[in-house]
Amino acid sequence: MILSPFEWTIAKRYMLPGKGERFIALVAGISLVAVMLGVAALVIVMSVMNGFRAELFDKIVGLNGHAIIQAYGGRLDDWQSVLKDVRATPGVTHASPLIEQPLMTTFNGRVEGILVRGNTREDLTRLNDKVKAGNFSELTEGSDNVAIGSQLAQNLGAQVGDTITVINPLGRSTPFGTVPRQIAYRVAAIFEIGIYDYDKAYVVMPMKDAQTLMLTGDTIGMIEVSTTNPDKVGEILAPLERKLKGRAIVTDWKTINASLFEALAVERVAMFVVLSIIVLVAVFNILSSLIMLVRAKTRDIAILRTMGATRRSLLKVFVTTGFCIGALGTVAGVLLGMVFLYFRQPIVHFVEIVTGQNLWDPSIRFLTELPSRPDPVEIAVICVMALIFSFLATLYPAFRAASTDPVQVLRYE
């Protein structure tokens, strides 16, 4: 819609009402602010939801791979041949043996439930960037060194260099019953994955040490697998699943974390719909301000008509006036949303100080920090939606202005 110089001059005049029209200007300003806040809320919430899903996916999959192959009964005896088949499967980029077992640990009288995880040397090096204290290079076979999660270290009160005791209920048999197996390990490193449930439970050690602790011999519990495309992991591993049928079960990340990611997807859609309604309500302010403007300018519109202005010109003038308010509000909303996302963590801390409430409890939210991942396509969709709403809100007042009869208005002038 291209405006002539005359139409653009009138539109700018109506976007900046005079001294006697301050109330209309106030309503138009409120409309702009309302659209800005609605768009900003959509950008912020959708970016945080995207960040939450992406961070969870990166951390969960980064630790456990895209799929797990687990033997029936929990022990994979011929794991070398299975591992060879897995690595030969097209689409598989990484596969490694893994031992994971829930046990208990004690330190200075404190007892915590843990997940002992036995990894290969290659997998241990992948956790180097998660280290908060100590060094993963000290986790060698037979060294009796382990790495523990940051939250577990906090719960136990343990630091690098301290010795914790890991208890395995499956110990040696005696005439008085089974004596639990207790082995002391030195804490060589403390790591933080960023997921509360992992950081409060994991104790990582070399695989040979884990096999010794759990008395499993040369067997493992599972094989973790990474593929070229996590969204198509089921298709990639389908031939392998058929080959291992009856011996082991293949479980991908979608199945393991199905309830969590489905809940996130539902919440994401629900939040988008609710916040879109807020934008729609904000756009109604544009409608009301334009209706007031048309009522206030009825005499001016009639004079413009007598001077030769066409209905089409008046229609374009009022559509442009309302649309510019919506467009400015949309741009301001995106900028406000980006600023909020950039300073999101300080803002959360400030609100916590003011309210005295813990807004981001890692034990509930899974992640230790508020995540964010803006999606340019999604932000573009939000902007287009706000602009369409703004355009539709201008049509009724614009048609009313264009249909003004100058004879009826100026009859008694």
Side-chain angles (χ1 to χ4, degrees), residues 290-352:
L290 279 182
I291 291 175
M292 294 173 61
L293 183 63
V294 171
R295 291 292 298 271
K297 298 294 184 181
T298 300
R299 185 172 177 275
D300 294 358
I301 294 170
I303 293 173
L304 289 172
R305 287 294 311 280
T306 59
M307 294 175 63
T310 64
R311 294 177 183 269
R312 180 182 177 84
S313 293
L314 292 174
L315 184 69
K316 290 162 68 176
V317 165
F318 284 94
V319 167
T320 300
T321 302
F323 185 79
C324 285
I325 295 174
L328 290 173
T330 300
V331 173
V334 172
L335 294 176
L336 177 63
M338 291 295 104
V339 171
F340 187 96
L341 291 173
Y342 185 79
F343 294 103
R344 63 189 183 280
Q345 211 58 42
I347 291 173
V348 170
H349 292 324
F350 174 76
V351 175
E352 287 178 341

Side-chain angles (χ1 to χ4, degrees), residues 101-331:
Q101 182 72 32
L103 297 176
M104 295 181 66
T105 187
T106 63
F107 178 74
N108 282 350
R110 298 182 182 181
V111 180
E112 292 287 337
I114 60 172
L115 273 174
V116 172
R117 186 181 178 94
N119 283 114
T120 62
R121 184 64 191 168
E122 180 186 358
D123 289 333
L124 289 175
T125 57
R126 292 165 60 189
L127 293 174
N128 279 333
D129 58 337
K130 309 294 184 183
V131 175
K132 290 189 67 179
N135 197 331
F136 262 88
S137 63
E138 297 182 30
L139 270 66
T140 56
E141 295 180 6
S143 64
D144 288 338
N145 287 335
V146 297
I148 64 176
S150 58
Q151 192 62 43
L152 177 60
Q154 181 178 332
N155 293 343
L156 291 173
Q159 299 178 353
V160 173
D162 291 336
T163 300
I164 63 173
T165 302
V166 177
I167 304 171
N168 182 3
L170 299 177
R172 65 181 184 276
S173 298
T174 70
F176 302 99
T178 301
V179 177
R181 184 176 177 79
Q182 301 184 38
I183 299 181
Y185 292 97
R186 174 181 172 272
V187 177
I190 296 175
F191 61 88
E192 183 172 319
I193 296 170
I195 297 181
Y196 181 84
D197 287 353
Y198 291 170
D199 291 333
K200 76 170 184 177
Y202 271 119
V203 173
V204 179
M205 63 179 64
M207 180 171 293
K208 288 292 185 182
D209 292 358
Q211 290 172 333
T212 302
L213 170 65
M214 299 172 198
L215 304 174
T216 58
D218 191 29
T219 63
I220 64 170
M222 58 191 75
I223 296 174
E224 63 174 352
V225 183
S226 297
T227 61
T228 53
N229 188 343
D231 292 324
K232 295 183 178 180
V233 62
E235 300 175 19
I236 294 173
L237 298 182
L240 184 65
E241 188 173 6
R242 289 191 295 267
K243 188 173 183 179
L244 296 176
K245 189 174 183 180
R247 298 164 57 199
I249 183 171
V250 180
T251 309
D252 60 32
W253 67 270
K254 297 179 182 178
T255 304
I256 297 172
N257 306 285
S259 58
L260 176 61
F261 284 100
E262 285 177 8
L264 284 175
V266 171
E267 186 176 355
R268 185 169 175 271
V269 173
M271 294 300 293
F272 185 84
V273 172
V274 171
L275 293 174
S276 296
I277 294 175
I278 294 176
V279 175
L280 184 61
V281 172
V283 166
F284 273 103
N285 287 326
I286 298 177
L287 174 65
S288 61
S289 64
L290 279 182
I291 291 175
M292 294 173 61
L293 183 63
V294 171
R295 291 292 298 271
K297 298 294 184 181
T298 300
R299 185 172 177 275
D300 294 358
I301 294 170
I303 293 173
L304 289 172
R305 287 294 311 280
T306 59
M307 294 175 63
T310 64
R311 294 177 183 269
R312 180 182 177 84
S313 293
L314 292 174
L315 184 69
K316 290 162 68 176
V317 165
F318 284 94
V319 167
T320 300
T321 302
F323 185 79
C324 285
I325 295 174
L328 290 173
T330 300
V331 173

